[in-house]
Amino acid sequence: MELISIIVPSYNEEENVPYFYEEMAKYREELRNLGAEYELIYVDDGSRDNTVGEVKKLIEKDSSVHLVSFSRNFGKESAIYAGLKKSKGDYVVLMDADLQDPPALLPSMLRAIKEEGFDSVATRRVTRKGEPPIRSFFARMFYRLMKKISNTEFVDGARDYRLMTRQVADAILALTEYNRFTKGMFGWVGYKTKWLEYENIERAKGETKWNFWGLVKYSLEGIMAFSTAPLTLVSVLGLLMCIFSFVLILFIIAKTLIFGDPTSGWPSMICIVSLISGVQLLCIGIVGQYMSKMYLEVKNRPIYLIKEEI
Ligand code: UDP
Ligand code: MG
């Protein structure tokens, strides 16, 4: 029997923890018939509700359930990393606790790896039913932008739900950066990936942890982690500004020499000065953003801290 490690990042999911367990158990037999047993690794990301208690209840009756509990909320990316580190399986699966990632797909995902020779089977949702339209719009814009400015492959609607071989999991683990953007990392490591599509499923219980501003920040993380295009843009902008200013200076000198008239032109001057200082501040800001990421990387802090592990 081979082993599948199922990693379930859980943050305030007390209602979903047992529910997820039950739903998953329905596919145990089918997976066994394919030659694989599974273990569940719940990664409690510093939940404030009774998520840990619910997982412990499961551990009491089922030895294939494990718990890694963080000292505080480190974010889903850290939870995924911790789960990968703790996983021992020949295959590893990432799954949300809220059942938005249908367990029903698992057997066919496993078959794709075992029989069709893929290294990884990823999923994407083709609809965004139940999501605010404005959010879908910006999400699509984000993917379109990333396709242009990054060398790494980004797939629109890609979920974190994915089955991979040990080899792929180890490749992700080899990327030890602090600012983690897992979606991009999977594209970066490569390997033969099959994409399965499904309709969006709304979360079973509880509420999403994402608000609009959180998603905006997340997308900026993605851009900075996988593209330096903003830095190039800033350099080009600076160059264009220099050329423009140089031409303008020549023009103003010539005009003053020919027509005199020292005081007029004050308003246009103020406009130009404030425009250019605005652009400069913006550019320094963008450079600063990259520097702040570097600062965090250089500090080399652990990606998560464990409080309890069963
Ligand atoms: N999650 C986490 N840490 C966080 C936020 C979320 O581990 O700080 C987990 C959450 O418990 C869930 C998964 O990540 O299992 C996806 O979260 P959510 O359903 O809120 O995101 P959405 O599906 O709306 O994108
Ligand atoms: Mg969800």
Side-chain angles (χ1 to χ4, degrees):
M1 274 280 178
E2 287 178 304
L3 181 68
I4 310 178
S5 300
I6 302 177
I7 298 166
V8 193
S10 311
Y11 177 50
N12 296 344
E13 304 278 9
E14 59 180 3
E15 289 171 297
N16 284 320
V17 163
Y19 191 40
F20 178 89
Y21 176 83
E22 298 297 332
E23 287 300 307
M24 208 45 244
K26 291 181 186 164
Y27 298 91
R28 204 164 220 166
E29 238 358 271
E30 199 176 341
L31 290 169
R32 263 188 202 143
N33 292 338
L34 289 168
E37 195 63 65
Y38 69 72
E39 61 169 1
L40 281 176
I41 306 174
Y42 285 97
V43 184
D44 158 56
D45 187 9
S47 299
R48 273 183 274 265
D49 65 1
N50 193 32
T51 300
V52 172
E54 291 294 335
V55 178
K56 283 182 180 166
K57 270 191 229 164
L58 295 177
I59 290 175
E60 267 168 35
K61 60 175 186 179
D62 185 343
S63 62
S64 66
V65 180
H66 308 281
L67 168 73
V68 178
S69 181
F70 287 176
S71 62
R72 64 168 170 85
N73 181 241
F74 279 88
K76 187 183 177 187
E77 301 289 342
S78 304
I80 290 176
Y81 183 75
L84 285 171
K85 268 217 123 126
K86 298 294 163 192
S87 68
K88 296 190 191 74
D90 306 285
Y91 305 99
V92 182
V93 185
L94 307 178
M95 263 171 123
D96 285 0
D98 58 8
L99 286 166
Q100 278 190 299
D101 301 332
L105 286 180
L106 262 183
S108 54
M109 287 165 96
L110 187 60
R111 266 195 296 270
I113 289 192
K114 284 191 148 190
E115 291 159 20
E116 296 167 41
F118 286 97
D119 301 301
S120 164
V121 184
T123 58
R124 61 183 286 257
R125 43 181 187 174
V126 281
T127 55
R128 288 178 170 269
K129 191 168 48 105
E131 196 185 57
I134 180 119
R135 185 174 295 188
S136 310
F137 171 75
F138 278 109
R140 261 195 291 275
M141 292 274 289
F142 169 74
Y143 284 105
R144 209 175 291 167
L145 179 72
M146 283 315 279
K147 272 198 190 110
K148 292 222 170 72
I149 64 173
S150 174
N151 297 328
T152 306
E153 189 196 8
F154 279 78
V155 177
D156 189 1
R159 305 226 7 124
D160 289 327
Y161 185 21
R162 175 186 285 265
L163 172 69
M164 68 200 100
T165 59
R166 187 74 245 166
Q167 191 182 29
V168 178
D170 286 339
I172 295 294
L173 281 172
L175 309 185
T176 52
E177 62 217 61
Y178 181 80
N179 297 291
R180 302 184 76 76
F181 194 78
T182 313
K183 274 185 189 149
M185 290 177 157
F186 280 111
W188 190 88
V189 299
Y191 293 100
K192 217 171 142 206
T193 304
K194 178 175 181 171
W195 285 91
L196 296 183
E197 298 181 345
Y198 65 93
E199 305 259 314
N200 189 33
I201 300 167
E202 294 192 36
R203 79 172 7 249
K205 297 184 167 79
E207 276 168 19
T208 174
K209 275 90 208 173
W210 292 102
N211 56 31
F212 191 71
W213 183 236
L215 283 171
V216 170
K217 282 203 290 197
Y218 184 62
S219 59
L220 290 179
E221 290 282 333
I223 292 173
M224 277 191 287
F226 282 93
S227 168
T228 48
L231 292 175
T232 315
L233 181 80
V234 161
S235 320
V236 172
L237 198 67
L239 187 68
L240 289 179
M241 277 309 232
C242 287
I243 295 171
F244 173 72
S245 317
F246 191 65
V247 173
L248 202 65
I249 288 167
L250 288 182
F251 172 75
I252 288 169
I253 290 175
K255 190 174 152 242
T256 314
L257 284 179
I258 298 166
F259 300 105
D261 194 18
T263 48
S264 82
W266 178 245
S268 55
M269 175 100 112
I270 291 298
C271 293
I272 291 165
V273 167
S274 50
L275 172 73
I276 294 184
S277 30
V279 170
Q280 275 175 342
L281 273 184
L282 175 71
C283 296
I284 294 175
I286 293 176
V287 176
Q289 286 295 319
Y290 278 90
M291 256 183 59
S292 74
K293 296 288 162 201
M294 264 165 62
Y295 176 59
L296 290 174
E297 291 297 343
V298 165
K299 278 206 257 192
N300 207 5
R301 287 196 176 158
I303 293 162
Y304 59 87
L305 292 173
I306 293 177
K307 186 178 151 218
E308 194 179 5
E309 206 181 331
I310 311 178

